[in-house]
Amino acid sequence: MLSIAWSVTVHAQSKDPIKIGFSMSLTGAVAPNGRQLLTSLEIWRDDVNAAGGLLGRPVELVYYDDQSTPANVPAIYTKLMSVDKVDLLLGPYATNMTAPAMPIIMQANKTTISLLAIGVNRHFNYDRYFSMVPISSEGVAAFSRGFFELAAAQNPKPTTVAMIAADAEFARTAADGAKENAKKLGLKIIYDRSYPPTTTDFAPVVRAVQAANADIVFVAAYPPDTVGIVRSAHEVGLKPKMFGGTMIGLLATPLKVQLGPLTNNLVIMESFVQAPTFNFPGLQEMLAKYRDKAKGQQIDPYGIGFAPFGYAAGQILAKAVTETKGLDHDKIAKYIHANKFQTVAGEISFGKDGEWSEPRTVFTQFQDVQPNDVTQFRDGSKQPILWPEKYKTGTMIYPYSAEKK
């Protein structure tokens, strides 16, 4: 595990800084998303410090690269609290990293706002935990409900489902919710397999799915897996009626560009998109700063899928600290539970379990994606929202095997 901490204060001020600690996946499987979140938190820090800091003190970020490895996380949070003496906590990012951090955070009675982890608190029931994933107390089922409701609305209605998922916390959790939704809608699961996270050759996995000949193929995968699965599906000629799922690699612009037209007609879950219905106060200003910082770096050039949540987590924490006039974790947690927050990711409030009070996941479909063109993903036109109706911006192409432009 890397032993280097990054610690930066933008404006030198006479008072001691308020230290905010977290781990972040800056290398490894989910690093494309982790680097987006870090950049957005740095922008939030700079904005807070430019406005005078928190409680009249500068904000300092103290963070370590967990290398997308869950085993690294407990030691990082132990060090943040016992050695670095951070005042506040955020994160970690992702379900796989958040779950092993929770016992350490709970033992210290600290408050944290996790960055895009799903279903973690159903295991811990910790009242100082909050999640930035917009799935609500509905839980993991909210992560795939739209996918199966879209499927059930098609004519003729598909009847069978094949599911594949990585054998790791996030993917297993997403797959569990998908099974619930499929069964509720009367869809029969005829193939259900997991694969080791170290898998690099997905051709055998996809051939087995093809042999099952299901109407729908639902995938719960990480960024490297997503690339392998989509490429293998193209190579073996997989042609179900509907194909997609919780493929978080496809939330990162570089991977969208890398796969190009191979993504066409895939239907995926997203938590944040570039659309008129998602244009919340302060969002465009934050994204402009993000895009300026992203130039010349090996990170997502647009930051749509993740950056708003990192910045919003900072906004929520800052509001709670300001209104409670201190750094008492109990008071901060109670304030977050009791109030609504206006953020660049929209209005957010939390239920008793620390999840959003109202769900806001959407399902989009890749349509008419062209090769080697990063700019086509800037405005969301290549991924219209199909579900829910409240946010809908386009019409579904069905079946998946329909002619791709």
Side-chain angles (χ1 to χ4, degrees), residues 76-316:
I76 289 176
Y77 276 81
T78 298
K79 185 175 189 297
L80 286 168
M81 291 183 282
S82 64
V83 178
D84 299 311
K85 306 291 186 183
V86 299
D87 301 289
L88 301 167
L89 295 175
L90 286 172
Y93 160 59
T95 309
N96 291 8
M97 271 56 76
T98 301
M102 289 301 294
I104 308 300
I105 294 170
M106 292 169 66
Q107 185 176 18
N109 293 317
K110 299 298 185 183
T111 294
T112 193
I113 304 174
S114 74
L115 300 169
L116 301 172
I118 65 167
V120 169
N121 210 25
R122 64 180 178 155
H123 302 295
F124 299 101
N125 298 310
Y126 184 52
D127 63 359
R128 298 184 186 181
Y129 169 87
F130 302 92
S131 171
M132 288 306 295
V133 174
I135 61 172
S136 83
S137 58
E138 181 182 353
V140 297
F143 227 46
S144 56
R145 180 160 58 90
F147 184 89
F148 290 100
E149 287 189 1
L150 282 168
Q154 303 310 308
N155 188 18
K157 177 183 173 180
T159 60
T160 57
V161 183
M163 299 183 59
I164 54 173
D167 188 12
E169 185 73 23
F170 158 76
R172 287 196 302 264
T173 302
D176 287 345
K179 292 171 193 173
E180 291 178 26
N181 286 313
K183 290 175 181 176
K184 283 179 182 178
L185 292 168
L187 299 169
K188 184 179 180 181
I189 299 171
I190 61 172
Y191 185 88
D192 180 12
R193 296 290 186 275
S194 62
Y195 56 85
T198 54
T199 301
T200 55
D201 180 8
F202 286 92
V205 176
V206 176
R207 287 195 188 99
V209 171
Q210 185 181 45
N213 196 31
D215 295 329
I216 302 170
V217 175
F218 181 91
V219 179
Y222 297 92
D225 316 1
T226 297
V227 173
I229 290 168
V230 172
R231 289 195 183 282
S232 294
H234 175 72
E235 289 165 4
V236 306
L238 185 67
K239 293 182 179 180
K241 292 184 173 68
M242 189 171 170
F243 182 23
T246 52
M247 305 169 80
I248 61 172
L250 292 177
L251 307 186
T253 306
L255 293 188
K256 296 178 185 181
V257 176
Q258 180 182 336
L259 290 169
L262 298 186
T263 63
N264 277 324
N265 297 3
L266 281 169
V267 176
I268 65 166
M269 186 286 309
E270 297 200 73
S271 296
F272 205 94
V273 294
Q274 184 76 300
T277 47
F278 277 66
N279 192 18
F280 305 113
L283 173 66
Q284 297 308 321
E285 291 84 350
M286 186 278 292
L287 288 177
K289 292 176 182 178
Y290 174 94
R291 289 164 181 168
D292 187 59
K293 287 177 70 72
K295 290 177 181 176
Q297 298 189 45
Q298 297 300 310
I299 63 173
D300 190 296
Y302 300 136
I304 296 296
F306 292 85
F309 293 112
Y311 194 97
Q315 287 180 300
I316 291 167

Side-chain angles (χ1 to χ4, degrees), residues 341-388:
F341 298 87
Q342 304 301 324
T343 77
V344 297
E347 182 179 271
I348 300 172
S349 62
F350 298 92
K352 184 178 180 181
D353 58 359
E355 301 291 349
W356 286 31
S357 298
E358 298 291 335
R360 205 194 61 206
T361 55
V362 300
F363 277 82
T364 67
Q365 184 178 47
F366 289 92
Q367 297 182 359
D368 193 27
V369 174
Q370 301 301 309
N372 305 314
D373 180 10
V374 67
T375 62
Q376 67 186 318
F377 296 112
R378 184 183 179 100
D379 63 3
S381 61
K382 296 295 184 180
Q383 284 183 262
I385 300 171
L386 307 179
W387 183 96

